[in-house]
Amino acid sequence: MPLTFDPLRPSDRAVLEELVRAYYIDDGHAYDEALHGRALDELCAGNEFALGWIMREDGETAGYVVITLGFSILYGGFDAFIDEIYVTPQRRGKGFGTQALHFAEEECLRRGLRRMYLEVTHHNPRARALYERLGYEDHESYLLSKTPAP
């Protein structure tokens, strides 16, 4: 059976949290129940700016993909940021990440989005190589962030 991408539903909340926790351990992030749990609740409930899918192979969970929507004057309109993509360890190196990125691109094209972005950590050259092989480019710019003060 091929890999499927099932839109997130409220009933996926527990499996999504398990996957996110595993991803954060792999990538060296701390999981904060209050912060990340709230985001997962909102994502699984449905949000016009955030789209997510559980990847499944033969009915078994294989990972997840989350895309957030934005807008760029520079690139001519609505765009997407691949916020998180995660493939379970036993499925890595078998084309699942490539399939997930192709799926994300098809979704973006279907929605008329003009540009796709993603972020890769410096300590993950394997992921960066995959992204570059699929056409993602380093634009010699920095992604900076700030949490607004209340």
Side-chain angles (χ1 to χ4, degrees), residues 18-37:
E18 183 180 319
L19 291 166
V20 169
R21 285 178 180 271
Y23 168 56
Y24 285 15
I25 288 169
D26 284 356
D27 214 40
H29 303 291
Y31 185 86
D32 179 322
E33 180 64 44
L35 178 67
H36 300 115

Side-chain angles (χ1 to χ4, degrees), residues 42-77:
E42 190 168 342
L43 181 60
C44 289
N47 182 295
E48 63 184 314
F49 299 110
L51 310 167
W53 298 267
I54 297 287
M55 299 170 8
R56 292 190 171 93
E57 180 193 36
D58 296 328
E60 291 185 25
T61 302
Y64 70 97
V65 179
V66 174
I67 297 173
T68 60
L69 305 179
F71 190 88
S72 171
I73 295 172
L74 180 62
Y75 293 111

